[in-house]
């Protein structure tokens, strides 16, 4: 296959001139800034943020061993998902292919932008079937969304199937690695030079514990990153987020320690759930959550809420019917969950 980025980008996006902010027009340092209509009195946040997030990108690039030119930062990965769809998909004409069940935002963003969603089933082991995905694509398919580890099933998708898609599909393959830090796997970042159509999404919302800051990473060729930069809101990452993320990224050892604890907790929880009467299935997980199948998921969900415990009800998942997705918590939280589940499952209504 040949990959032609110019042909993939929407014509209006290719032709447009991006907004030029005050901070783009003047990039030196000055003693008097009267160019952006800011309040001149000294408040903590009176000045606009760096639209290019230079300091933050330098730090993240060093951590991920990439170049800043290969990195786009979004107000959560959700912003990057939306911008990818808006950059490449002509509303009412183009489509995106999404193996299901998976994270709901790909579909929501596509539908918000009047872009057709073509669902394909994952296999019974929640793996991607490359042949089925390719058979669903046509000349108007611009993006394939893969989520690995997949939400809500927790498993990594197979490398062979992803490689086949990257090699055969002339559009863009997005791999959402929101949970990659919980796996032992290296992920796809190092394979970026080999695949011009590869886009990787990561986030500080999960392993890094910064969901409230809203910072998502999109890693791709500099050509693809330039397209996203062209259409992003100029000040999409606010000053507080840039400062606080920069600070947190100074201490990767905290993240690594917490991830190790959560993985241990996950494996214990997996083991206990497998031995719990009334839990029909526990799906193996590489992430910080576990998917389980029980006989009446809706009622179990309700009865957990009555005990003050909230989990996610995931409806009609492939062959498995209604399931519950359990986020791995602290050891105490997981213990409460297990005791409540044991009680509920041993006293059917
Ligand atoms: C949680 C999650 C995200 C994170 O989105 P943010 O907008 O960065 O918080 C992205 N993708 C998947 C699959 C997720 O589960």
């Amino acid at each position: 296959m040949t990959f032609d980025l110019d042909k993939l980008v929407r014509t209006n996006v290719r032709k447009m001139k991006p907004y030029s902010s005050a901070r783009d027009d003047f990039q030196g340092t000055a003693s008097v800034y009267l160019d952006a209509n800011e309040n001149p009195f000294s408040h903590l946040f009176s000045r606009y943020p760096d639209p290019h997030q230079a300091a933050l990108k330098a730090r993240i690039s060093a951590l991920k061993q990439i170049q800043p030119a290969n990195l786009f930062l979004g107000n959560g990965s959700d912003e990057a998902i939306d911008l990818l769809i808006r950059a490449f998909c002509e509303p009412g004409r183009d489509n995106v292919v999404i193996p299901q069940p998976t994270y709901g935002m790909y579909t929501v963003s596509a539908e918000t932008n009047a872009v057709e969603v073509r669902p394909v089933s994952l296999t019974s082991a929640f793996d991607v079937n490359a042949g089925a995905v390719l058979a669903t694509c046509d000349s108007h398919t611009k993006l394939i969304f893969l989520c690995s580890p997949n939400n809500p099933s927790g498993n990594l998708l197979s490398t062979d199937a992803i490689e086949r898609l990257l090699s055969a599909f002339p559009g863009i393959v997005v791999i959402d690695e929101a949970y990659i830090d919980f796996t032992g796997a290296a992920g796809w970042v190092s394979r970026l030079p080999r695949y011009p159509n590869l886009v990787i999404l990561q986030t500080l919302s999960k392993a890094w514990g910064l969901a409230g800051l809203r910072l998502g990473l999109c890693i791709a060729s500099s050509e693809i990153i330039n397209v996203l930069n062209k259409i992003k809101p100029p000040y999409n990452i606010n000053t507080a987020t840039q400062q606080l993320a920069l600070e947190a990224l100074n201490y990767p050892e905290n993240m690594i320690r917490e991830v190790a604890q959560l993985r241990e907790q996950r494996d214990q929880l997996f083991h206990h759930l497998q031995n719990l009467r009334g839990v029909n299935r526990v799906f193996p997980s590489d992430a910080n959550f576990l998917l389980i199948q029980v006989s009446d998921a809706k009622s179990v969900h309700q009865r957990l809420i009555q005990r003050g415990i909230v989990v996610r009800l995931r409806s009609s998942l492939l062959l498995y019917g209604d399931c519950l997705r359990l986020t791995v918590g602290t050891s105490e939280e997981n213990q409460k969950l297990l005791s409540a589940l044991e009680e509920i499952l041993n006293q059917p209504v």
Side-chain angles (χ1 to χ4, degrees):
M1 73 89 184
T2 51
F3 179 75
D4 185 343
L5 185 63
D6 267 356
K7 267 206 197 133
L8 281 178
V9 176
R10 281 169 68 193
T11 312
N12 59 315
V13 170
R14 181 160 34 82
K15 287 186 178 159
M16 73 183 256
K17 201 171 147 308
Y19 175 74
S20 184
S21 70
R23 293 291 173 269
D24 286 316
D25 281 354
F26 177 81
Q27 295 188 352
T29 37
S31 54
V32 181
Y33 285 99
L34 300 176
D35 58 345
N37 298 348
E38 295 152 334
N39 180 328
F41 302 111
S42 178
H43 303 285
L44 202 47
F45 294 114
S46 61
R47 298 294 174 179
Y48 279 104
D50 172 9
H52 308 291
Q53 306 108 21
L56 186 51
K57 278 186 178 173
R59 177 74 45 81
I60 295 174
S61 303
L63 263 169
K64 302 281 170 190
Q65 299 182 300
I66 56 172
Q67 295 303 313
N70 296 115
L71 178 62
F72 170 85
L73 299 180
N75 186 356
S77 323
D78 290 349
E79 184 180 38
I81 293 165
D82 184 65
L83 289 176
L84 284 164
I85 289 170
R86 286 201 277 152
F88 294 105
C89 300
E90 199 63 60
R93 191 195 72 179
D94 291 332
N95 66 73
V96 299
V97 170
I98 307 178
Q100 303 280 356
T102 194
Y103 186 50
M105 278 310 291
Y106 319 132
T107 295
V108 168
S109 273
E111 288 181 346
T112 303
N113 291 295
V115 169
E116 181 199 349
V117 172
R118 297 192 172 187
V120 193
S121 273
L122 290 167
T123 68
S124 59
F126 295 110
D127 201 358
V128 64
N129 177 340
V133 169
L134 290 170
T136 309
C137 297
D138 67 8
S139 61
H140 291 303
T141 306
K142 295 297 189 69
L143 304 161
I144 297 171
F145 280 98
L146 305 176
C147 186
S148 182
N150 186 49
N151 181 358
S153 52
N155 57 297
L156 284 159
L157 303 181
S158 78
T159 305
D160 288 352
I162 295 179
E163 261 172 357
R164 189 169 156 210
L165 291 175
L166 283 165
S167 308
F169 179 58
I172 286 175
V173 178
V174 181
I175 307 179
D176 186 341
E177 296 188 332
Y179 300 97
I180 197 68
D181 294 312
F182 297 104
T183 73
W188 287 81
V189 170
S190 67
R191 277 171 273 205
L192 215 56
R194 240 194 287 163
Y195 299 108
N197 56 341
L198 170 60
V199 170
I200 297 155
L201 300 177
Q202 294 187 2
T203 179
L204 298 201
S205 295
K206 306 288 160 59
W208 285 94
L210 297 171
L213 285 191
R214 313 305 301 128
L215 191 68
L217 284 52
C218 176
I219 304 168
S221 73
S222 58
E223 290 81 4
I224 292 176
I225 297 302
N226 286 341
V227 175
L228 298 179
N229 281 333
K230 194 171 174 185
I231 62 171
K232 84 180 181 79
Y235 304 115
N236 61 328
I237 310 297
N238 68 67
T239 304
T241 295
Q242 292 192 43
Q243 289 174 352
L244 294 168
L246 203 50
E247 173 67 17
L249 290 163
N250 274 333
Y251 306 99
E253 61 275 16
N254 290 347
M255 182 274 278
I256 290 165
R257 190 188 58 244
E258 289 173 4
V259 163
Q261 285 178 23
L262 289 170
R263 283 171 53 134
E264 197 184 307
Q265 286 297 316
R266 172 191 72 202
D267 295 345
Q268 281 183 24
L269 193 56
F270 180 86
H271 176 74
H272 289 303
L273 286 164
Q274 272 196 320
N275 293 325
L276 215 58
R277 207 153 58 90
V279 175
N280 303 331
R281 249 174 216 279
V282 191
F283 294 91
S285 169
D286 298 293
N288 65 333
F289 56 85
L290 289 165
L291 187 70
I292 63 171
Q293 190 207 28
V294 292
S295 293
D296 189 352
K298 281 199 183 94
S299 128
V300 174
H301 181 252
Q302 268 314 306
R303 292 163 77 191
L304 280 171
I305 288 176
Q306 286 163 7
R307 288 164 172 78
I309 299 171
V310 198
V311 300
R312 204 84 200 273
L313 181 64
R314 299 282 76 183
S315 300
S316 49
L317 294 186
L318 297 178
L319 316 166
Y320 307 109
D322 290 353
C323 293
L324 299 173
R325 193 195 66 192
L326 318 173
T327 304
V328 178
T330 63
S331 148
E332 294 74 22
E333 289 172 330
N334 303 333
Q335 204 45 59
K336 283 186 190 161
L337 171 68
L338 280 168
S339 312
L341 272 176
E342 187 168 13
E343 238 181 75
I344 292 167
L345 293 167
N346 281 315
Q347 314 166 352
V349 269

